[in-house]
């Protein structure tokens, strides 16, 4: 038997993404965004309202980075989702994390997060079904500690996912199958 849930956002896992930009004064701004995905190959879509300081920065600078939050930095990642850059000007400094300038775009790379997508701002979309920042991925960098044989090993990234049912974070790390291969067992010739 199935039971009805009183919940609007029910997709799990939802990625925990750290969206980083520069403020007007050149300081670093970071926000936690669980509402983001790849719209198509090379294109990121983030469901963010225009009231976010980060969105204002993205529009002003034409760039942003998207880092995958990890288990080792849950406290900082959660803090970036709790505190607004509109209200706390020293939000990034309070986290104790460090940043460097991205290689290809005018945005910061948060050094402690192991995987980072550098994005050029394409457009801001808004309609009756939502709103969002659309960006073109122009570079991806990874910390060498999450690499094996020049490839990312996702088990080493220790990415976290947001659970909208109980507002928890979960580590996503164990490989359990082979995409585009396991299903062939059921394919009829």
């Amino acid at each position: 038997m199935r039971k009805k849930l009183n919940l609007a956002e029910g997709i799990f896992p939802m990625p925990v993404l750290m969206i980083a930009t520069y403020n007007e004064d050149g300081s670093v701004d970071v926000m936690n965004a669980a509402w983001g995905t790849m719209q198509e190959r090379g294109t990121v879509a983030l469901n963010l309202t225009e009231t976010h300081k980060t969105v204002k920065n993205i529009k002003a600078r034409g760039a942003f980075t998207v880092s995958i939050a990890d288990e080792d930095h849950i406290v900082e990642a959660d803090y970036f989702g709790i505190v607004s850059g509109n209200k706390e000007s020293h939000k990034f400094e309070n986290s104790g994390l460090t940043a460097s300038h991205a290689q290809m775009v005018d945005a910061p790379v948060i050094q402690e997060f192991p995987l980072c997508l550098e994005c050029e701002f394409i457009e801001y979309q808004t309609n009756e079904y939502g709103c969002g920042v659309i960006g073109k991925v122009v570079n991806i960098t990874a910390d060498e500690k999450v690499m094996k044989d020049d490839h990312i090993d996702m088990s080493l990234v220790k990415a976290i996912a947001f659970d909208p049912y109980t507002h928890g974070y979960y580590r996503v790390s164990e490989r359990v199958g082979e995409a585009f291969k396991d299903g062939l067992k059921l394919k009829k010739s």
Side-chain angles (χ1 to χ4, degrees), residues 154-180:
M154 289 308 288
S155 67
L156 298 175
V157 172
K158 299 191 284 184
I160 57 173
F162 174 67
D163 163 17
Y165 294 95
T166 65
H167 296 164
Y169 293 115
Y170 289 82
R171 181 169 25 116
V172 181
S173 63
E174 184 180 352
R175 187 179 188 113
V176 295
E178 300 300 318
F180 309 108

Side-chain angles (χ1 to χ4, degrees), residues 41-133:
R41 286 187 187 266
T43 306
V44 171
L46 306 170
N47 190 2
L48 307 173
T49 63
E50 290 182 289
T51 59
H52 288 291
K53 176 73 171 154
T54 304
V55 173
K56 295 172 189 169
N57 292 343
I58 289 170
K59 288 181 168 185
R61 295 277 183 152
F64 59 98
T65 59
V66 178
S67 294
I68 307 299
D70 66 335
E71 178 183 18
D72 295 339
H73 299 96
I74 287 175
V75 171
E76 295 87 347
D78 194 51
Y79 171 75
F80 291 139
I82 294 170
V83 177
S84 169
N86 287 319
K87 296 178 181 176
E88 174 55 63
S89 61
H90 299 289
K91 178 178 173 179
F92 182 70
E93 291 82 2
N94 293 346
S95 75
L97 300 182
T98 58
S100 63
H101 198 280
Q103 296 173 4
M104 304 285 289
V105 299
D106 186 21
V109 173
I110 311 309
Q111 291 301 308
E112 290 78 6
F113 295 121
L115 187 59
C116 181
L117 288 70
E118 299 178 22
C119 303
E120 292 176 349
F121 175 58
I122 296 175
E123 69 178 349
Y124 186 82
Q125 297 179 347
T126 184
N127 63 43
E128 65 184 299
Y129 299 108
C131 55
V133 169

